Amino acid sequence: MQEKLSILSELIHLSKADNEMREDEMGFIKVIAEGLGVSDAELEQLYENPVAFDPGTTDGERILQFHRLVLLMNVDRNISDAEMNNVRQAGIKLGLNPMATNEVLKRMYDYPNNVIPPNELIAIFVKHHN
């Protein structure tokens, strides 16, 4: 459960990066919380009391979390420098290859609504795998 709360805390942190919590961002986070089996009450608590960062144990989990962050950043179609820096830093905290995360952040603009398809995202990480 700690890992799930950590994932949501990181998403909440990103949503606050531009000092403006939008309804569409909060809705996205709520959908992720529901998918993770986290109650509304637990989610609300995270807005005031985030849990410590837990990057997950597998590459797949860390890449999935990075993808969630990229998706959240693009929900409002307005990417601030603070959000972009936050996502880059999250990639580092997740232990992901910076060249891969930078390529994802560059290539997302090649797709409608900046939503890079999961298979493309995985291909980028495979290409840059140590």
Side-chain angles (χ1 to χ4, degrees):
M1 180 59 118
Q2 183 71 15
E3 185 179 329
K4 293 176 183 181
L5 298 177
S6 172
I7 289 167
L8 294 168
S9 289
E10 196 66 22
L11 290 168
I12 291 167
H13 177 71
L14 174 61
S15 71
K16 294 178 177 181
D18 60 1
N19 297 317
E20 185 177 349
M21 288 253 351
R22 295 177 163 256
E23 194 172 315
D24 46 1
E25 292 172 328
M26 291 170 50
F28 179 83
I29 294 169
K30 184 172 172 56
V31 167
I32 297 295
E34 288 170 358
L36 293 172
V38 174
S39 71
D40 288 345
E42 291 169 312
L43 179 61
E44 287 299 317
Q45 178 123 11
L46 292 175
Y47 280 94
E48 296 301 320
N49 300 307
V51 300
F53 181 73
D54 179 355
T57 55
T58 69
D59 287 342
E61 290 170 345
R62 293 190 298 269
I63 291 169
L64 177 60
Q65 177 59 4
F66 182 75
H67 195 217
R68 287 179 182 131
L69 291 166
V70 171
L71 292 172
L72 175 63
M73 178 176 63
N74 286 292
V75 162
D76 63 4
R77 293 178 177 73
N78 183 20
I79 301 171
S80 71
D81 290 340
E83 287 174 318
M84 188 66 82
N85 289 334
N86 192 302
V87 169
R88 278 195 178 94
Q89 289 303 310
I92 291 169
K93 288 192 322 188
L94 287 164
L96 299 173
N97 183 311
M99 292 187 330
T101 58
N102 285 333
E103 185 174 342
V104 168
L105 295 173
K106 189 184 303 182
R107 296 224 7 239
M108 70 183 185
Y109 295 109
D110 296 339
Y111 299 95
N113 299 320
N114 300 340
V115 177
I116 190 165
N119 61 327
E120 293 294 322
L121 178 96
I122 292 167
I124 290 168
F125 281 99
V126 167
K127 179 174 90 174
H128 291 283
H129 190 64
N130 296 337

